[in-house]
Amino acid sequence: METVPSAVLNKEILGRLDIEALCSLACVNRALRFSVESQALPSLSSLHLSVGSFPLSTCILTLNCLRLQDHSLCAFLTPRIRELNLWCCSSLSYQILASIGHNCPNLRVLMLELADKESPHLFENNLAIMLTSCLQLESLSLKIRGFGVEVDACAFQSIIFFLPITIKSLKLQPVLERDAFFLIRRVGRNLMETVQPPILTSSYYSSFNLRSLSLVLDVITDELLITITASLPFLVELDLEDRPNTEPLARLDLTNSGLQSLGSCHHLTGLSLTRCRYNHQGTFKRVNDMGMFLLSEGCKGLESVRLGGFSKVSDAGFAAILLSCRSLKKFEVRSALFLSDLAFHDLTGVPCALVEVRLLWCRLITSETVKKLASSRNLEVLDLGGCKSITDTCLRSISCLRKLTALNLTGADITDSGLSILAQGNLPIMNLCLRGCKRVTDKGISHLLCVGGTISQSLTTLDLGYLPGISDDGILTIAAAGIGIIDLCVRSCFYVTDASVEALARKQPGQEKSKQLRRLDLCNCIGLSVDSLRWVKRPSFRGLHWLGIGQTRLASKGNPVITEIHNERPWLTFCLDGCEIGCHDGWQFHESGFI
């Protein structure tokens, strides 16, 4: 390659390659890596290096920064960038905030997911530099993972003093409730009446036009909701999640009064209120059906509703929302102890615009609800994870949903015969989860994929975790079917052995690069031996980016085979910690659990 003129190499060769080919070429030797980093990558107008395959748009940069340091990322930052999305920034310092401000002054959209470095003042100073430099910012999403006490206490206390007045969408995680009050009051319509800030800017007294607000808090209270509705009457989307450490006091909790106050936001179309159990096994115990009645009467224009942790609300409360909000397209309820089929009894009697329905861990929901939901022929997402009373009797109704692309049947009481019914329909399902469906066996996988139905052509993500009836025969069926699965989970399938890994390794990839297996979860597959790692070496698994091998014989950090594979495939992540596929929430621990 040294004899090739640099102009020819950069323009005629590297300039014609896509991003995946460039990244692969950079691993060949240092000379090519230098050419790719210094010439090819900076010349691209847009990049998307996150998981999946998405169309490229001008001046948009999306990066999974799990392995990136500050100096590596700065090479991508230019004034041309209008949208910047940085995921899993566990190794980046807070200094990257200032670098973004200096190098990307024309940003309109910024999404940044950082790890807690326990340096709140350093974070605050660099955040101020970034915000005062990006004066055209319209959408800002900042997440700090790790939940350090110091950062929790003051990370976003001063953000209001530097927010550009162009901000229309704001997402912050985590935020203390007391800081949220300060933020909302100053961003809201009563901004002119607030206390003087320590640093005044010329734009401070201009009006904000915030339309979307998303906060992860320590607690959601009535006073907080009342403040939001009074200060932000033109809000279109509101997303609040809390993670209390203890049971909130009566005066410091959400009640029916808080829900009633939302009626003042006449433009509200999207509402999400959830209580997470990360720190404390609590729920919104002071909200009942009356609160839902008041909400449904005051917010009839809602198009998206997401409710989690409302343990005292029954069918009547949830039915009120379904029947009153005639434009409802997305409906999600989590862990509702008293939600049953009765809430959906009258659904067929009213116009139904539902596109996405998620009923998670609602144990009283049965197949009768699914039959009612099937009346909405526009349904694209149906998530019934944890609804254990779902059986084969509703699968015929599901098979008639011609637009359904995602189906989650985690823990359902379905059988191989039920999968045969699904296979015979014209379902364009791309994402199918059968996790914990204990009556599904290898025979069911054969029924699903080998009858030539639509699902066998469209399926890209398949979760078969925790299925005692899945063995090598089922995996061999998947490999032989020639389907384009990108994500495959077989965690805790104890009868999966080395033969399955070999079959997947020998599987001939489809014509499209996107059809190669990218993520494979083998966590707790105790039937695997260390010898199966040889199938992960080149040239097998060409598209593999993530491999979960936690709680198996393969999960040894000192294993020379893993080291060898890592050296020849530096982009491949070995997860040894047992994270879910792709390490959705485990990236912050990568230094101890990843290779």
Side-chain angles (χ1 to χ4, degrees):
M1 295 300 293
E2 289 79 1
T3 61
V4 179
S6 59
V8 175
L9 175 63
N10 296 327
K11 184 175 181 180
E12 300 299 330
I13 300 178
L14 299 183
R16 298 176 183 272
L17 299 179
D18 60 19
I19 185 62
E20 187 172 352
L22 287 172
C23 291
S24 299
L25 195 62
C27 298
V28 174
N29 56 48
R30 292 183 178 179
L32 284 175
R33 180 173 182 175
F34 175 79
S35 297
V36 169
E37 291 181 348
S38 62
Q39 300 294 327
L41 292 181
S43 67
L44 296 176
S45 61
S46 60
L47 285 173
H48 195 305
L49 299 181
S50 187
V51 296
S53 178
F54 300 88
L56 295 176
S57 302
T58 305
C59 303
I60 297 176
L61 175 62
T62 299
L63 289 170
N64 185 323
C65 301
L66 182 65
R67 299 166 185 246
L68 290 185
Q69 303 291 333
D70 287 16
H71 67 277
S72 300
L73 178 59
C74 287
F76 294 103
L77 303 179
T78 70
R80 293 186 299 169
I81 296 177
R82 298 295 186 273
E83 179 177 335
L84 182 60
N85 303 292
L86 303 178
W87 302 89
C88 307
C89 304
S90 56
S91 299
L92 298 182
S93 71
Y94 291 149
Q95 182 64 39
I96 199 64
L97 294 168
S99 298
I100 292 172
H102 292 318
N103 296 299
C104 307
N106 300 314
L107 268 183
R108 279 4 181 235
V109 178
L110 174 61
M111 198 296 300
L112 190 58
E113 192 176 51
L114 291 169
D116 178 12
K117 304 296 183 182
E118 298 185 350
S119 303
H121 297 296
L122 186 61
F123 171 80
E124 182 178 323
N125 293 337
N126 284 281
L127 179 62
I129 294 173
M130 182 190 73
L131 293 178
T132 52
S133 300
C134 301
L135 298 179
Q136 303 178 58
L137 202 61
E138 297 179 1
S139 177
L140 176 62
S141 175
L142 294 175
K143 298 180 181 179
I144 302 179
R145 308 296 295 272
F147 305 99
V149 175
E150 291 185 52
V151 174
D152 268 4
C154 61
F156 298 115
Q157 278 185 351
S158 62
I159 190 173
I160 183 57
F161 301 136
F162 309 103
L163 271 181
I165 62 170
T166 52
I167 285 290
K168 296 179 181 179
S169 175
L170 182 62
K171 299 182 180 181
L172 300 177
Q173 173 184 335
V175 181
L176 291 178
E177 186 217 19
R178 65 170 184 262
D179 295 335
F181 277 116
F182 184 72
L183 170 67
I184 293 163
R185 285 168 178 162
R186 290 186 178 276
V187 172
R189 64 182 180 184
N190 298 321
L191 185 63
M192 292 285 291
E193 302 172 3
T194 56
V195 181
Q196 298 294 319
I199 301 177
L200 295 178
T201 63
S202 59
S203 63
Y204 181 78
Y205 289 107
S206 303
S207 298
F208 283 83
N209 189 25
L210 196 65
R211 297 302 179 93
S212 177
L213 178 64
S214 177
L215 303 174
V216 176
L217 306 132
D218 54 337
V219 64
I220 298 173
T221 65
D222 283 350
E223 187 178 358
L224 177 64
L225 282 184
I226 293 171
T227 301
I228 290 175
T229 56
S231 303
L232 304 171
F234 298 106
L235 205 61
V236 176
E237 297 179 351
L238 178 61
D239 181 352
L240 300 179
E241 175 184 326
D242 70 0
R243 302 174 179 181
N245 291 314
T246 60
E247 184 66 29
L249 299 175
R251 61 184 180 82
L252 297 175
D253 200 2
L254 179 63
T255 71
N256 295 337
S257 298
L259 290 185
Q260 183 179 17
S261 69
L262 290 173
S264 302
C265 291
H266 301 294
H267 302 276
L268 200 64
T269 61
L271 176 64
S272 176
L273 296 172
T274 59
R275 173 153 289 175
C276 193
R277 298 184 178 185
Y278 285 164
N279 303 322
H280 174 69
Q281 297 295 312
T283 61
F284 292 115
K285 297 178 180 179
R286 297 174 176 88
V287 175
N288 53 32
D289 289 339
M290 180 56 68
M292 292 300 164
F293 296 155
L294 296 171
L295 174 63
S296 62
E297 284 300 310
C299 300
K300 292 187 176 182
L302 286 174
E303 298 177 6
S304 175
V305 174
R306 181 173 183 261
L307 302 171
F310 289 86
S311 59
K312 299 297 184 180
V313 177
S314 70
D315 292 323
F318 292 117
I321 294 176
L322 288 168
L323 298 176
S324 297
C325 304
R326 296 301 180 89
S327 300
L328 196 63
K329 294 180 176 64
K330 297 182 180 181
F331 183 66
E332 177 177 336
V333 178
R334 292 173 176 261
S335 303
L337 301 180
F338 302 115
L339 176 63
S340 73
D341 298 335
L342 291 176
F344 303 89
H345 179 70
D346 296 325
L347 199 59
T348 54
V350 297
C352 187
L354 287 171
V355 174
E356 181 176 315
V357 176
R358 299 179 185 273
L359 306 175
L360 302 172
W361 302 103
C362 300
R363 299 179 181 273
L364 298 181
I365 293 295
T366 73
S367 296
E368 294 304 311
T369 290
V370 180
K371 293 177 183 178
K372 298 289 185 181
L373 291 172
S375 64
S376 177
R377 297 302 183 183
N378 293 320
L379 206 59
E380 297 177 5
V381 176
L382 182 57
D383 191 340
L384 302 168
C387 298
K388 297 186 177 182
S389 297
I390 301 296
T391 65
D392 290 346
T393 58
C394 67
L395 296 184
R396 183 74 64 184
S397 298
I398 292 178
S399 67
C400 297
L401 298 172
R402 303 294 179 87
K403 297 183 179 181
L404 196 67
T405 59
L407 177 62
N408 182 2
L409 296 172
T410 295
D413 190 30
I414 63 171
T415 67
D416 296 339
S417 299
L419 293 185
S420 180
I421 295 173
L422 282 182
Q424 295 170 17
N426 291 320
L427 293 167
I429 291 180
M430 300 175 64
N431 189 326
L432 177 62
C433 182
L434 301 174
R435 173 176 294 203
C437 299
K438 297 182 179 180
R439 299 176 68 186
V440 171
T441 68
D442 295 331
K443 186 178 180 180
I445 303 303
S446 180
H447 290 332
L448 184 68
L449 302 178
C450 297
V451 298
T454 303
I455 192 172
S456 64
Q457 303 300 320
S458 61
L459 197 62
T460 59
T461 299
L462 180 60
D463 190 337
L464 303 176
Y466 303 92
L467 298 187
I470 295 297
S471 68
D472 290 334
D473 290 341
I475 308 304
L476 291 172
T477 298
I478 294 172
I483 58 176
I485 289 184
I486 295 175
D487 294 345
L488 177 61
C489 173
V490 290
R491 62 166 46 210
S492 297
C493 291
F494 301 142
Y495 298 104
V496 168
T497 70
D498 296 3
S500 293
V501 180
E502 178 182 354
L504 294 173
R506 292 182 179 275
K507 178 179 178 290
Q508 294 297 321
Q511 293 181 351
E512 302 179 33
K513 292 181 180 179
S514 61
K515 297 300 183 181
Q516 295 180 353
L517 190 64
R518 292 179 179 270
R519 286 165 291 275
L520 176 61
D521 189 354
L522 301 172
C523 175
N524 201 30
C525 290
I526 58 178
L528 295 175
S529 72
V530 178
D531 292 339
S532 62
L533 279 175
R534 64 191 178 95
W535 294 108
V536 186
K537 296 181 179 180
R538 288 181 172 178
S540 304
F541 291 113
R542 292 182 180 180
L544 197 63
H545 292 172
W546 185 92
L547 180 62
I549 55 176
Q551 302 173 43
T552 67
R553 297 184 181 92
L554 288 62
S556 173
K557 293 183 180 179
N559 191 324
V561 179
I562 293 183
T563 303
E564 179 184 348
I565 296 172
H566 178 64
N567 290 335
E568 68 178 19
R569 290 181 166 178
W571 62 86
L572 175 59
T573 295
F574 283 91
C575 176
L576 312 181
D577 283 343
C579 302
E580 289 293 339
I581 196 165
C583 303
H584 298 302
D585 292 318
W587 62 268
Q588 64 267 33
F589 304 113
H590 81 284
E591 298 205 358
S592 63
F594 292 81
I595 293 181

